[in-house]
Amino acid sequence: MWLLFLLVAAVAAVFSCARVCRAAVAAARTGRPARPPAPAPAPDPAGDDGHAPGLTLYEMAYLSGGPQRLADVVLVLMAQKRRLLLAHTGWATVVEPVAQDPVERATLSAIGPDGQRPIPAVREALVADEAVRAVADKLVADGLALPAAARPGIRSGIRQVWAAALLVVLTAAAAYWMAPPGTDTALLLGWFSLPLVLCLGTLAVARFELHPYRDWATDEGEQRLPGKADPPGSRLPSAPLAPLTSLISLALHGPSALTDPALRAALHSSGA
């Protein structure tokens, strides 16, 4: 009977690990540039930071946290320029309806003609907007961001490996409990350790090798980000460039890196 449990555990482990491997190979292939990388863009209010050649502020935000992070960056950017008011209660209010780029225009459109809207609703509208998709498409074409179709494959595959590891443990316990008297339980558990080691080994490799693909950036895109592994602001300018420093920290590390408590409360209170 325990051989049947072992067969089930082995099939589940092999199938789930093979799925992760196939998804990783597909991600690596789709992550290669489809065309030569574009030259560094001309400086723009939301783009030139002096630390990531060829990446705008919006692109850094997308590679670090996806379209939701990009939406947070443009909201804070417009708030720092006094064109929006972000309340600690999680509402965005238009102060001056002036946009300097397509993403800012999309932000004003997302807020709507009433001039006020909850930040979660604005963020949701921005994520689906054509201007944000254009940023993502450019990064994907340059091989810096993973295509949307490839991300769920690895994520779901890793979840399946976790489920297979749990199944191995459960089947091993059931086989141990149902083993007839005189069965060599050490040998029995030793056989079940093989699919368990396979699952845990795959998870360990995925943890260290596939982390860029589980997020938004490819390996190349991850390398283009300026000092993402450093503490917020540790490699960024200070003094006269404090607003830009705050925006770069937000793009790389999320709302918790903001130094302005009012802005941080506005984004966190809205579910960021």
Side-chain angles (χ1 to χ4, degrees), residues 82-155:
R82 303 294 189 270
R83 297 202 294 272
L84 289 182
L85 173 64
L86 304 181
H88 70 279
T89 54
W91 281 76
T93 303
V94 177
V95 177
E96 185 179 0
V98 176
Q100 295 182 346
D101 57 60
V103 178
E104 290 190 4
R105 285 194 291 273
T107 303
L108 295 175
S109 298
I111 295 175
D114 294 337
Q116 190 176 49
R117 195 176 184 188
I119 293 177
V122 177
R123 185 186 292 114
E124 183 179 352
L126 274 174
V127 166
D129 192 88
E130 182 63 32
V132 174
R133 286 200 299 270
V135 175
D137 291 343
K138 178 181 180 299
L139 290 170
V140 170
D142 289 341
L144 303 179
L146 194 66
R151 286 191 303 270
I154 290 181
R155 285 177 175 164

Side-chain angles (χ1 to χ4, degrees), residues 123-226:
R123 185 186 292 114
E124 183 179 352
L126 274 174
V127 166
D129 192 88
E130 182 63 32
V132 174
R133 286 200 299 270
V135 175
D137 291 343
K138 178 181 180 299
L139 290 170
V140 170
D142 289 341
L144 303 179
L146 194 66
R151 286 191 303 270
I154 290 181
R155 285 177 175 164
S156 61
I158 289 176
R159 285 195 297 267
Q160 196 170 55
V161 174
W162 276 110
L166 178 61
L167 179 64
V168 172
V169 173
L170 293 177
T171 52
Y176 181 85
W177 180 67
M178 298 179 63
T183 301
D184 188 347
T185 54
L187 178 63
L188 183 151
L189 295 178
W191 279 107
F192 277 95
S193 68
L194 297 179
L196 183 61
V197 168
L198 176 62
C199 291
L200 297 181
T202 301
L203 291 172
V205 172
R207 173 65 180 86
F208 292 102
E209 297 295 333
L210 300 182
H211 65 93
Y213 298 118
R214 294 213 311 266
D215 299 326
W216 299 92
T218 63
D219 191 33
E220 182 181 352
E222 190 87 2
Q223 294 173 3
R224 295 279 293 275
L225 293 173

